[in-house]
Amino acid sequence: MVEHGPVHNSEVYVLSQTPFPNHLHHGGCPSPPSPITPAEDDFCCSPIDKLPLHNFVEPAIAACEEQLAVEARLSGAVHLLNTASTALSCITDLYSSDRIARDGFNRAVDAIVRRQGDHGRNGKLVVIGVGKSGHIAKKLVATFNSLAIQAVFLHPTEALHGDLGQINSRNDTLLLITFSGKTPELLLLLPHLDQSLPLILLTSHTRPETCEIVRQRPDTILLPAPIHEPETKSFGVSAPTTSTTVALSVGDALAMVASHELHPSVSKVFARNHPGGAIGAALRGSSVSPSPSVSSTTSNNTPSSSRTTSMSISTQPPSPPVPSPRHSLRDLAIPLHEIPCLETPLHNRSGHDPITPTITAADLLLAAYASPSGWVRLPHGGGVVSPSRIKRLTPSQLSLSLSDPRLSWLVTPQTEFLSLTADTEVHNAAEWIKAMRTVRATGVTTAKMTSWGTGTMGEGEVEEGEEMDFGDECVVGVREGGGGGANHGCVGVVEVGGLLDFVTSNGGGGGGGGGGGRP
């Protein structure tokens, strides 16, 4: 028997449902013998070393737990962002295909555009909301205003305690924001809102019959902003997240589309309204840079008053600004002889009415499309139509004749031109228009424009009761010479908004002081 070495043994076990056949009994060969256990002397075996436990390193359990916590944190963030992305994808599909959503958006834009600007008698958008919807409303008000769409925020509770006076009962448009469509504060305010004013409702409801506010006021313009699943299901809590994201996106879309319809150049309007900060610097084509320095490092041995920093960008003083060329209204105006005249249809060449019932807005639109400048003249001295007013036409108005009272805002007759001389510098004209706007806003009845000379409006003053509004769509009639009446010798036209945009984009238009041409 081996006492101190490993013992080798081999056995064979056969599992079978039937007894193993006896080979010997049936004359078969016997199984081979088991291998012989080697003797101790013949077996060479080295002793097994013990495990080196003194070098054993404990697993970094704390580090693993910290990494897991970071992954869990980021996983939650990614889940929320992915959920918001899915919600935006769903709302995009909704406005791409759903008839009610598309019709509501179209009507909402029309309601805002129709009551904005001077021909809407300076109506504004009143945005109403409470809670998180109130914060969304305030942000949208800021966006609308930056895009030159007049808007104010109204808290529904404060409205019931006196702030209803913010609403102009004739010209304003109302926008209510509520995810549920039945916010109690809004339901209490609803009976006190003028029924003649357009009411837009930004809500989660996609059908009017399911919304309580629409049931109480059936003429409400429904602007759906639903989410694909409840926030409780997405995040385990009903905190407004995806719902506010979707509402904000739909509101931003409404602001951008309406602004593009109201203004020929939204980028110029935005630049004029946003002169400050990094955005304003970028829009001006410049950036805020640190003072020039002769070194790119900071020396601790140099007095603080003479230290230089690594932010320096130049060792040379800046070059003096290059003065802009002076432009006159003659340079800016569209010559009248270059504006195509809208032909009277062959079936109505009576020659009696300059705006015949058979000339429709569709005819005007086709003429504007073919016009290089976008301007169109009407026959027999019937006035002009500017590009910005043509852009305000809606599909439902194309079949209307130009004599229809609903299109009275479209054509500007020469008697309503703001007449200025062709030699007037653009800068001076812009300053005069801004001054006249201030006069009208402050209620002054007479404005003596002594800073820019005389002869601007006949006798150099604007009397109360005249229909001149000095808005962006007001048409400036550029005339040669100063005699023969305000509109005598008109050689070109330009819109007030285009003139002001030109001055803004050209750094003041190159004008200066109170001299030069005289409006």
Side-chain angles (χ1 to χ4, degrees), residues 59-85:
I61 298 177
C64 292
E65 291 180 348
E66 182 179 353
Q67 184 62 30
L68 290 174
V70 171
E71 291 298 327
R73 177 182 296 171
L74 294 176
S75 176
V78 170
H79 171 61
L80 189 143
L81 295 173
N82 183 63
T83 304
S85 176

Side-chain angles (χ1 to χ4, degrees), residues 89-153:
S89 178
C90 291
I91 199 70
T92 301
D93 293 339
L94 180 74
Y95 279 92
S96 298
S97 58
D98 186 81
R99 181 186 58 82
I100 293 179
R102 292 167 65 86
D103 178 68
F105 190 88
N106 182 60
R107 293 172 59 201
V109 172
D110 186 58
I112 294 173
V113 170
R114 189 173 65 248
R115 290 173 172 259
Q116 285 283 325
D118 304 297
H119 289 278
R121 291 296 175 260
N122 294 317
K124 62 183 179 294
L125 179 65
V126 182
V127 190
I128 307 172
V130 66
K132 300 299 185 294
S133 295
H135 293 297
I136 294 297
K138 293 177 182 177
K139 188 274 174 188
L140 290 179
V141 164
T143 298
F144 276 106
N145 283 324
S146 69
L147 297 173
I149 297 176
Q150 299 300 314
V152 296
F153 169 73

Side-chain angles (χ1 to χ4, degrees), residues 298-304 306-307:
T298 301
S299 174
N300 292 329
N301 298 324
T302 306
S304 60
S306 61
R307 288 181 185 174

Side-chain angles (χ1 to χ4, degrees), residues 13-314:
Y13 297 92
V14 179
L15 302 179
S16 177
Q17 294 182 352
T18 58
F20 192 78
N22 189 342
H23 294 285
L24 294 179
H25 178 74
H26 296 288
C29 298
S31 300
S34 299
I36 301 174
T37 300
E40 181 180 2
D41 295 338
D42 298 332
F43 184 78
C44 183
C45 179
S46 60
I48 300 175
D49 294 333
K50 296 182 179 180
L51 284 173
L53 298 180
H54 61 283
N55 292 329
F56 180 74
V57 179
E58 291 286 341
I61 298 177
C64 292
E65 291 180 348
E66 182 179 353
Q67 184 62 30
L68 290 174
V70 171
E71 291 298 327
R73 177 182 296 171
L74 294 176
S75 176
V78 170
H79 171 61
L80 189 143
L81 295 173
N82 183 63
T83 304
S85 176
T86 303
L88 291 176
S89 178
C90 291
I91 199 70
T92 301
D93 293 339
L94 180 74
Y95 279 92
S96 298
S97 58
D98 186 81
R99 181 186 58 82
I100 293 179
R102 292 167 65 86
D103 178 68
F105 190 88
N106 182 60
R107 293 172 59 201
V109 172
D110 186 58
I112 294 173
V113 170
R114 189 173 65 248
R115 290 173 172 259
Q116 285 283 325
D118 304 297
H119 289 278
R121 291 296 175 260
N122 294 317
K124 62 183 179 294
L125 179 65
V126 182
V127 190
I128 307 172
V130 66
K132 300 299 185 294
S133 295
H135 293 297
I136 294 297
K138 293 177 182 177
K139 188 274 174 188
L140 290 179
V141 164
T143 298
F144 276 106
N145 283 324
S146 69
L147 297 173
I149 297 176
Q150 299 300 314
V152 296
F153 169 73
L154 179 61
H155 192 284
T157 302
E158 298 297 334
L160 293 174
H161 292 267
D163 282 3
L164 272 173
Q166 292 188 35
I167 301 177
N168 186 318
S169 60
R170 292 179 299 173
N171 304 324
D172 289 348
T173 303
L174 308 177
L175 171 60
L176 272 61
I177 303 179
T178 165
F179 181 78
S180 67
K182 56 181 180 181
T183 303
E185 293 87 347
L186 296 182
L187 292 175
L188 288 173
L189 177 64
L190 195 61
H192 304 282
L193 298 178
D194 193 331
Q195 299 246 351
S196 65
L197 298 180
L199 177 63
I200 306 168
L201 179 64
L202 182 59
T203 181
S204 65
H205 294 268
T206 58
R207 295 294 180 267
E209 59 270 13
T210 64
C211 181
E212 181 61 30
I213 289 180
V214 179
R215 279 200 291 263
Q216 294 192 18
R217 184 164 169 175
D219 62 339
T220 299
I221 301 173
L222 183 64
L223 199 61
I227 54 179
H228 63 291
E229 65 180 14
E231 286 149 327
T232 304
K233 181 178 180 180
S234 300
F235 313 112
V237 60
S238 58
T241 46
T242 48
S243 60
T244 52
T245 300
V246 170
L248 188 60
S249 298
V250 175
D252 284 340
L254 186 66
M256 289 298 298
V257 172
S259 182
H260 275 284
E261 294 197 10
L262 281 168
H263 308 293
S265 176
V266 175
S267 59
K268 291 181 180 179
V269 167
F270 183 76
R272 188 172 62 207
N273 293 335
H274 201 305
I279 291 179
L283 292 172
R284 292 192 302 271
S286 62
S287 59
V288 179
S289 60
S291 302
S293 170
V294 298
S295 173
S296 61
T297 59
T298 301
S299 174
N300 292 329
N301 298 324
T302 306
S304 60
S305 60
S306 61
R307 288 181 185 174
T308 58
T309 68
S310 60
M311 296 177 64
S312 302
I313 60 173
S314 174

